[in-house]
Amino acid sequence: MSLESELKDKLNPEQYRAVTTLEGAILIIAGAGSGKTRVITYRIANMLEKGIPQSAILALTFTNKAAKEMEERIKDLTGKKLQNLTVSTFHAFGVQILRQEIEALGFRQNFSIYDETDKKSLIKETGRELKYTADALDLYKISVLFSDIKTGRKNWESENDMYRQLYEEYQKGLKLYNAVDFDDLIVLPIKLFHEHPEILEKYKNRYKYIMVDEFQDTSHQQYEFMHLLSDKNIAVVGDDDQSIYSWRGADYQNIVNFEKDFDVTEIRLEQNYRSTGTILAAANGVIKHNTNRKDKELWSGNGDGKPIEVFMPENEAAEAECIAEGILGIGTDENRNYDDFGVLIRANTQSRAIEEAFLENNIPYTMSGGTSFFERKEIKDIISYLRVIANHDDDINLLRIINTPRRGIGRVTIEAISEVAKRMDLSLWEAIQALFTATEEECPVSESTLEDLKAFTDIIENAKSMLGGKGLSKKVRQLVDDIKYFDYLIGENPKSEKSARFKFMNIESLIKSMEQWENNPNYEDTSLYAYLNRITLLSRDDMDDEQDKGKVNLMTVHASKGLEFQVVFIAGAEEGLMPHAHAVEEGGDAAVEEERRLFYVAVTRAQKRLLISSCKFRRKMGGSIECQPSRFLDEIPPNLVQYHEPSKEVEKEKAHELLQNMLKNFSKPRVPKL
């Protein structure tokens, strides 16, 4: 079958129009479950079929997972190798530009990318140098403020002006250490394009066709980034009803800006392929209460399905038990696997009671948003070694490893090196090199300490072969052996060798995943720089964890975006949680609309069954407070809902029926097939 025949066969009329309209500015409003990914992948396949070169196409999305899925689908559709096609996250594309062009901004090509932990370490270090009090150094608050300043969401005002000097010194620190933070991955390419029009022209001449996925999640900077790059052939795909990330700078008003800045053709995808008619009618009923949105009505050809069930348990313990029993009961009745279930919460604090109930009932689960693999201490230690090998001037990571494993370089030595670095305006690495050439009178550290420092710098220098060539995983394994990291773990965990072995197994997992990445034919560049770029930009949700298969998915509603489950439980549909009290206090009516969009996202994750719980009481601040059902429950058309109130007396006939059903369930195996 030719691609053209396949398009006509597999796409509805609106999808077909979105796929075949290649020229001009296109706004594709894609409702939840409307086949958005299919449209994007078929559209790119159609471009390639029409003779548009791979190198002329740029597709931008928000997660590595989405980018990877797109590439694989396009490959399947076209049967072509995609070496010259750019399908990337915004931040990864920013890195790609900076690796080529950053020298124009006064940085060196081997720059480090600081994650949130590194960023806070630099803020803390800078704050100490400027004699800020411990009370004034609220690292989370300052980190958010610096992001807001850098990305233009806030300006210096009287309330935060006290941090202005700290910000300026933080920026100088980044430059000194040849490092950029996560915000810089978008901000600096924009700066490049403004200050060096010839660089902008180079990229504009290359990318003649641009596509942006999840457009409602773009920030002002991301919009400016794509606007600068795009000439006229740009297609954006999004849904204003699923804009739930304003707290990290997303602005669904970009849809309005796009319509102002371009001569736009609008295409709406309203047929939903995911959910039953009942679930969609509930979602439509809720979201229409938002005033600031494009009017649309999702519909489904999947039949009405079962009513939405709403439970009113006494408290969070009863709620958790209700969810656990629901999973076991539905799993048995409908022969479902554990990973068919999604349990969605508004706040991480809700997870404890649910996790306890899962453990009590032997229900395997995975919790999204826990400690990232790359945030574990042993993994960060090894990665810090790799970052310093790649960029000797990365002070934050150098400080992490200079005495890990312990090699006699204590606090006094580090302070002496820091003093030299400060006085001579050097990085710590350069300051150490200066000590090696200093006279005995000038040198602030002892001869034995110098030997310890030399042993450390030799480890880093001897690992230079990692920078080029193949066999990165073997070299990393050798490095782990050379620094005797396992012995260090044993020493750090004297009471539990098991714990030390577990941590070392994590390092082994890291090396094995590195090996898999090296051997993947889709990756041409397997240098240390490429690897560090990749893992810096990976989030936990992007990790393909085979171990999570066959488990119930417990996650926040934010983490569930883009996912779908046969059966969804929404826990905590109460005022104060949905909508969240803090959000409403801070943001008023606009925040209520965003919270409603969040509830809408939660509802539209469900394919076959939707169960919602709203507690009567919930623990708070050591006591118990009475809860009110969420206003969003009232917005679901009542004919779609079946309410369960355990506290109400049940009629005799009904009780008999319930008892018979329970007995029937107990006669079956309690655990779904895996």
Side-chain angles (χ1 to χ4, degrees):
M1 188 188 287
S2 70
L3 184 65
E4 181 63 29
S5 309
E6 194 171 338
L7 297 183
K8 285 177 175 168
D9 184 52
K10 293 198 174 171
L11 302 177
N12 67 40
E14 289 79 18
Q15 288 175 329
Y16 182 81
R17 192 174 160 226
V19 165
T20 54
T21 308
L22 301 182
E23 306 296 318
I26 320 291
L27 171 60
I28 302 167
I29 301 291
S34 63
K36 170 178 69 73
T37 307
R38 173 183 282 195
V39 164
I40 295 170
T41 50
Y42 271 106
R43 197 170 189 275
I44 293 171
N46 190 36
M47 284 179 185
L48 298 175
E49 186 75 7
K50 294 280 188 291
I52 295 168
Q54 290 183 20
S55 57
I57 301 168
L58 169 64
L60 294 170
T61 186
F62 276 83
T63 66
N64 294 289
K65 198 172 181 178
K68 192 176 168 188
E69 189 185 343
M70 275 185 209
E71 272 202 63
E72 281 170 1
R73 287 204 196 181
I74 297 162
K75 208 176 279 180
D76 288 345
L77 282 170
T78 61
K80 294 178 179 175
K81 289 185 176 177
L82 303 175
Q83 282 117 324
N84 297 316
L85 180 70
T86 307
V87 181
S88 170
T89 65
F90 272 94
H91 289 92
F93 186 59
V95 172
Q96 191 179 318
I97 291 171
L98 291 177
R99 285 286 174 216
Q100 296 296 317
E101 318 292 349
I102 200 165
E103 287 177 347
L105 296 174
F107 290 80
R108 297 185 300 286
Q109 270 191 323
N110 66 332
F111 63 87
S112 297
I113 305 167
Y114 278 7
D115 62 15
E116 195 59 27
T117 309
D118 298 332
K119 179 183 177 183
K120 285 174 182 169
S121 296
L122 180 54
I123 292 170
K124 192 175 179 180
E125 180 198 303
T126 310
R128 277 183 187 153
E129 284 176 5
L130 294 172
K131 306 284 191 289
Y132 278 78
T133 63
D135 287 347
L137 278 178
D138 181 333
L139 295 178
Y140 173 78
K141 184 180 153 190
I142 296 169
S143 177
V144 171
L145 172 65
F146 284 10
S147 280
D148 286 344
I149 295 288
K150 192 171 280 195
T151 55
R153 293 196 290 275
K154 278 188 182 170
N155 297 310
W156 292 116
E157 294 161 359
S158 54
E159 70 202 66
N160 53 43
D161 208 41
M162 66 177 284
Y163 294 114
R164 193 168 192 161
Q165 190 189 0
L166 180 62
Y167 177 79
E168 285 164 1
E169 291 302 315
Y170 164 79
Q171 288 292 95
K172 284 179 190 171
L174 283 175
K175 199 76 176 274
L176 177 65
Y177 304 154
N178 196 36
V180 301
D181 62 25
F182 210 63
D183 295 311
D184 286 328
L185 302 182
I186 305 296
V187 170
L188 290 182
I190 292 172
K191 189 172 183 282
L192 263 171
F193 290 164
H194 281 304
E195 293 179 4
H196 299 273
E198 72 285 0
I199 292 175
L200 172 60
E201 205 55 37
K202 180 170 92 177
Y203 287 92
K204 281 183 80 163
N205 286 337
R206 175 173 174 179
Y207 296 112
K208 294 294 188 185
Y209 292 83
I210 296 175
M211 289 194 70
V212 181
D213 187 19
E214 302 288 6
F215 184 61
Q216 77 282 343
D217 294 336
T218 51
S219 65
H220 292 299
Q221 277 67 38
Q222 286 164 331
Y223 181 78
E224 187 182 355
F225 190 23
M226 56 146 263
H227 191 194
L228 283 165
L229 279 169
S230 56
D231 202 3
K232 57 176 188 270
N233 300 323
I234 177 163
V236 302
V237 186
D239 179 10
D240 51 340
D241 288 337
Q242 295 186 73
S243 178
I244 58 174
Y245 293 117
S246 67
W247 49 276
R248 68 181 191 199
D251 189 354
Y252 68 95
Q253 285 295 327
N254 283 339
I255 292 176
V256 176
N257 297 335
F258 185 69
E259 290 176 310
K260 281 181 191 165
D261 292 337
F262 294 88
D263 183 13
V264 170
T265 301
E266 186 180 301
I267 300 168
R268 294 191 185 198
L269 309 180
E270 293 175 302
Q271 183 176 354
N272 174 290
Y273 293 90
R274 176 186 298 154
S275 308
T276 64
T278 297
I279 290 166
L280 289 184
N284 289 331
V286 171
I287 203 65
K288 73 180 184 190
H289 287 80
N290 275 3
T291 52
N292 203 357
R293 64 185 286 266
K294 284 187 173 285
D295 194 37
K296 66 187 86 66
E297 192 87 7
L298 293 184
W299 60 277
S300 168
N302 296 337
D304 289 341
K306 294 185 183 258
I308 290 159
E309 295 182 68
V310 176
F311 296 83
M312 301 285 193
E314 193 67 19
N315 52 35
E316 63 263 49
E319 176 185 54
E321 195 55 38
C322 177
I323 292 169
E325 285 177 2
I327 289 168
L328 291 169
I330 294 169
T332 303
D333 287 346
E334 299 181 10
N335 198 26
R336 296 203 178 280
N337 298 327
Y338 283 125
D339 53 12
D340 288 336
F341 295 89
V343 180
L344 309 186
I345 54 179
R346 174 65 180 87
N348 280 313
T349 50
Q350 294 171 256
S351 78
R352 191 181 64 81
I354 297 169
E355 289 188 72
E356 282 177 4
F358 285 174
L359 291 166
E360 189 73 25
N361 288 278
N362 293 318
I363 295 172
Y365 70 95
T366 174
M367 174 72 196
S368 291
T371 303
S372 161
F373 179 75
F374 290 106
E375 289 300 310
R376 292 171 182 170
K377 182 188 178 305
E378 62 275 15
I379 300 299
K380 276 196 81 77
D381 285 348
I382 302 305
I383 297 296
S384 288
Y385 269 95
L386 302 186
R387 291 195 190 287
V388 174
I389 291 162
N391 172 19
H392 294 351
D393 296 327
D394 184 341
D395 276 18
I396 296 297
N397 282 293
L398 185 141
L399 281 169
R400 184 181 184 96
I401 60 168
I402 194 167
N403 202 37
T404 302
R406 302 190 193 284
R407 49 176 70 89
I409 303 171
R411 186 167 181 163
V412 174
T413 304
I414 292 167
E415 281 173 357
I417 299 165
S418 299
E419 188 54 44
V420 172
K422 197 175 171 183
R423 192 175 70 245
M424 299 175 71
D425 199 20
L426 303 171
S427 69
L428 290 178
W429 179 272
E430 290 168 330
I432 293 168
Q433 301 305 312
L435 293 183
F436 294 153
T437 55
T439 62
E440 200 173 324
E441 293 79 34
E442 291 174 330
C443 190
V445 301
S446 68
E447 199 170 324
S448 67
T449 302
L450 275 179
E451 283 172 13
D452 293 333
L453 287 168
K454 185 74 172 69
F456 168 67
T457 57
D458 283 350
I459 288 167
I460 304 300
E461 291 287 10
N462 292 340
K464 270 195 304 198
S465 65
M466 286 188 193
L467 297 176
K470 299 200 182 285
L472 181 62
S473 56
K474 280 182 187 169
K475 291 167 187 173
V476 173
R477 186 173 271 116
Q478 186 61 52
L479 172 73
V480 173
D481 286 346
D482 290 348
I483 62 176
K484 297 184 170 55
Y485 196 82
F486 182 64
D487 294 347
Y488 164 70
L489 288 175
I490 294 284
E492 291 295 294
N493 298 272
K495 291 183 180 173
S496 176
E497 189 174 323
K498 193 175 174 184
S499 172
R501 289 194 180 281
F502 179 77
K503 290 174 189 290
F504 199 73
M505 287 295 290
N506 284 335
I507 292 172
E508 192 56 36
S509 295
L510 175 77
I511 294 169
K512 279 191 174 144
S513 73
M514 200 181 283
E515 201 173 339
Q516 284 169 347
W517 168 75
E518 280 183 302
N519 295 328
N520 187 328
N522 293 326
Y523 297 112
E524 284 185 27
D525 184 0
T526 53
S527 66
L528 178 59
Y529 296 126
Y531 180 74
L532 291 173
N533 286 350
R534 178 175 174 269
I535 61 164
T536 304
L537 297 168
L538 275 182
S539 72
R540 185 181 190 278
D541 298 331
D542 293 320
M543 299 293 288
D544 285 330
D545 194 348
E546 289 295 316
Q547 294 174 343
D548 288 348
K549 290 198 168 60
K551 297 179 183 179
V552 172
N553 303 276
L554 174 60
M555 62 184 64
T556 63
V557 183
H558 282 103
S560 75
K561 176 94 180 306
L563 303 176
E564 58 187 34
F565 305 100
Q566 295 283 319
V567 183
V568 166
F569 291 82
I570 302 174
E574 302 137 27
E575 290 292 306
L577 267 179
M578 289 184 187
H580 201 281
H582 181 67
V584 175
E585 281 162 21
E586 293 271 311
D589 289 346
V592 172
E593 293 221 341
E594 175 145 339
E595 289 288 309
R596 186 175 281 110
R597 291 195 292 272
L598 193 58
F599 187 73
Y600 172 84
V601 165
V603 169
T604 53
R605 298 313 91 198
Q607 294 172 281
K608 298 283 193 296
R609 299 274 302 266
L610 177 62
L611 303 95
I612 307 173
S613 52
S614 175
C615 290
K616 293 177 177 180
F617 296 90
R618 191 174 284 276
R619 275 182 305 185
K620 194 173 182 184
M621 309 286 283
S624 181
I625 58 161
E626 192 171 356
C627 303
Q628 295 297 318
S630 168
R631 68 192 76 180
F632 304 146
L633 289 178
D634 285 339
E635 294 169 0
I636 300 174
N639 62 309
L640 306 173
V641 180
Q642 184 182 336
Y643 281 91
H644 303 270
E645 286 210 62
S647 59
K648 284 188 177 176
E649 282 204 20
V650 181
E651 292 168 18
K652 272 190 178 177
E653 277 185 26
K654 187 69 179 167
H656 179 73
E657 189 188 325
L658 283 170
L659 182 63
Q660 291 305 310
N661 283 337
M662 281 172 70
L663 289 170
K664 189 172 80 176
N665 283 341
F666 277 121
S667 68
K668 298 177 182 179
R670 291 281 284 164
V671 180
K673 280 185 173 174
L674 298 178

